Amino acid sequence: MLTGCELDSDDPAGKEGAGGTAAGKGSALASVDTLTVKGRAPKTGYDRGRFGTAWADTDSNRCPTRDDILKRDLTDVRYQGGACRVASGRLAPDPYTGKDVTFRRGSSQVDIDHLVALSDAWQKGAFRWEPGKRIAFANDPLNLLAVDAGTNRGKSDGDTATWLPPNKAYRCTYVAGQVAVKKKYGVWVTGAERDAMKKVLTACPDEPLPSGPAPTQAPPRFHAR
């Protein structure tokens, strides 16, 4: 238990962050305490198909979500057959390792990571959601990031308590992103996860909470298992 990350008992209003560091109202640190804390539910029934077809065009811009994120996160982007299908580009740098990574379509050097893994969300509330909410969650740009493929696969479905980016300079941004996604969709956290979030964000109490305009329900034409 990371007891050093608990709020000060003399600060019931939560005006001080973990370790007595002031946290702004709009900070990621302050938002950790708005998340529901519960134990992890069983993974029973989880399947990727529960979150719809991979990279559905939920924003109706005629580009798959994966290409939308590649266009957003890569530099030196080149396209194949128009201005949608990304053929190549560079992560400069990859947020998880701090190193530059080259993307070429058909190669496995770059993945699109779900900051909050789908199976982690499933075990922390998504098993109860309507399909439209799960589809929206899987395709929300707030929850998506282009990253080094090997590092992402090492992460698997880890949460903040079990995995953090090797690039320590990115950890505050990474954890703030997880807090934002879990807050937006009502995904709960375990006690260990909450404490780990606070431990990271105490070092950066003014780290802002990211936001994104994507709706939490996909259009009704999309379906999931």
Side-chain angles (χ1 to χ4, degrees), residues 66 70 74 78 80 86-91 101-110:
R66 182 172 184 266
L70 289 171
L74 299 181
R78 293 179 179 271
Q80 178 181 335
V86 176
S88 65
R90 287 194 309 132
L91 268 177
V101 180
T102 298
F103 169 78
R104 290 187 180 86
R105 198 163 201 106
S107 166
S108 60
Q109 296 301 307
V110 174

Side-chain angles (χ1 to χ4, degrees), residues 11 21 25 32 56 59 63 81 89 129 133 135 151 166 199 221:
D11 180 36
T21 302
K25 290 182 179 179
V32 174
D59 64 0
C63 285
W129 297 350
K133 185 174 180 179
I135 295 167
T151 306
K199 182 178 181 181
R221 68 179 182 276

Side-chain angles (χ1 to χ4, degrees), residues 46-102:
Y46 171 73
D47 182 88
R48 175 61 179 85
R50 298 285 189 177
F51 291 82
T53 302
W55 313 129
D57 179 20
T58 53
D59 64 0
S60 303
N61 71 348
R62 299 185 179 180
C63 285
T65 300
R66 182 172 184 266
D67 285 288
D68 286 338
I69 302 305
L70 289 171
K71 287 193 287 184
R72 184 194 69 185
D73 292 352
L74 299 181
T75 60
D76 301 328
V77 173
R78 293 179 179 271
Y79 297 97
Q80 178 181 335
C84 176
R85 186 178 173 86
V86 176
S88 65
R90 287 194 309 132
L91 268 177
D94 160 48
Y96 285 177
T97 64
K99 301 176 182 179
D100 287 5
V101 180
T102 298

Side-chain angles (χ1 to χ4, degrees), residues 2-221:
L2 301 173
T3 54
C5 295
E6 298 297 330
L7 291 176
D8 192 317
S9 59
D10 293 328
D11 180 36
K15 295 179 182 178
E16 296 292 318
T21 302
K25 290 182 179 179
S27 74
L29 177 59
S31 296
V32 174
D33 283 319
T34 70
L35 303 177
T36 299
V37 179
K38 295 176 67 173
R40 184 186 293 270
K43 198 173 177 179
T44 305
Y46 171 73
D47 182 88
R48 175 61 179 85
R50 298 285 189 177
F51 291 82
T53 302
W55 313 129
D57 179 20
T58 53
D59 64 0
S60 303
N61 71 348
R62 299 185 179 180
C63 285
T65 300
R66 182 172 184 266
D67 285 288
D68 286 338
I69 302 305
L70 289 171
K71 287 193 287 184
R72 184 194 69 185
D73 292 352
L74 299 181
T75 60
D76 301 328
V77 173
R78 293 179 179 271
Y79 297 97
Q80 178 181 335
C84 176
R85 186 178 173 86
V86 176
S88 65
R90 287 194 309 132
L91 268 177
D94 160 48
Y96 285 177
T97 64
K99 301 176 182 179
D100 287 5
V101 180
T102 298
F103 169 78
R104 290 187 180 86
R105 198 163 201 106
S107 166
S108 60
Q109 296 301 307
V110 174
D111 279 354
I112 305 301
D113 182 33
H114 288 94
L115 294 179
V116 177
L118 303 186
S119 61
D120 180 61
W122 179 265
Q123 295 171 80
K124 296 171 182 174
F127 67 92
R128 297 174 174 170
W129 297 350
E130 293 294 321
K133 185 174 180 179
R134 291 197 293 266
I135 295 167
F137 179 88
N139 292 281
D140 190 333
L142 184 65
N143 192 30
L144 298 171
L145 189 67
V147 298
D148 172 68
T151 306
N152 179 52
R153 293 167 197 184
K155 170 190 172 181
S156 187
D157 61 357
D159 61 22
T160 303
T162 60
W163 190 89
L164 288 169
N167 179 16
K168 293 182 179 180
Y170 190 71
R171 288 181 178 179
C172 286
T173 303
Y174 173 78
V175 174
Q178 288 200 332
V179 174
V181 171
K182 293 205 166 189
K183 181 178 176 68
K184 178 176 180 177
Y185 285 88
V187 179
W188 71 68
V189 296
T190 65
E193 184 181 3
R194 174 203 58 196
D195 293 346
M197 287 174 163
K198 286 187 174 184
K199 182 178 181 181
V200 171
L201 294 172
T202 294
C204 44
D206 295 324
E207 181 73 32
L209 187 73
S211 62
T216 56
Q217 287 287 334
R221 68 179 182 276

